[in-house]
Amino acid sequence: MKNFTDEKTLLREIKNGNGEAFEFLFNSYYPRLRGYAARFVTDEEAVRDIIQESFLRFWEKRDLIEAVSISSLLFAMVRNACLNYLKHLQLVEQHVASARVLSEMLKA
């Protein structure tokens, strides 16, 4: 596997659809992103899903990415995905609690 140490070259290759460059990006950043996401989300499976979805969005939107720090972009994407996941969990918990209260009221 080629070593894409220059971010400009790496981004250019990814924008050109180079799968090897994208694989390099994934392998280079996945461990750090996993550790970062684990600060927000304790469920390891959810962390893996969040990171994979972030990389998928990165790949799908690669044509729109301009001269930015790849590292900053990936960490921001993962942070935002973690926060969205936590908001979703909170909504689910509120819904479950409301359903319990309603169920208790109907029993009475």
Side-chain angles (χ1 to χ4, degrees), residues 2 6 16 19 23 27 29 36-38 44 49 55-56 58 61 65 67-68 70 74 77 87 100 106:
K2 189 175 176 183
D6 176 47
N16 289 333
E23 184 178 353
N27 291 332
Y29 282 95
Y36 181 65
E44 183 63 31
D49 289 345
F55 274 107
L56 178 61
F58 184 95
K61 305 282 186 185
I65 300 171
V68 296
I70 293 174
L74 285 171
M77 291 173 72
K87 286 178 192 175
R100 282 188 193 132
L106 292 175

Side-chain angles (χ1 to χ4, degrees), residues 35-72:
Y36 181 65
R39 294 178 185 174
F40 297 96
V41 177
T42 57
D43 181 348
E44 183 63 31
E45 185 175 336
V47 166
R48 285 192 304 267
D49 289 345
I50 287 168
I51 295 169
Q52 288 176 2
E53 286 293 323
S54 295
F55 274 107
L56 178 61
R57 275 196 316 278
F58 184 95
W59 179 256
E60 290 174 343
K61 305 282 186 185
R62 69 187 181 277
D63 294 336
L64 304 174
I65 300 171
E66 293 301 323
V68 296
S69 166
I70 293 174
S71 176
S72 296

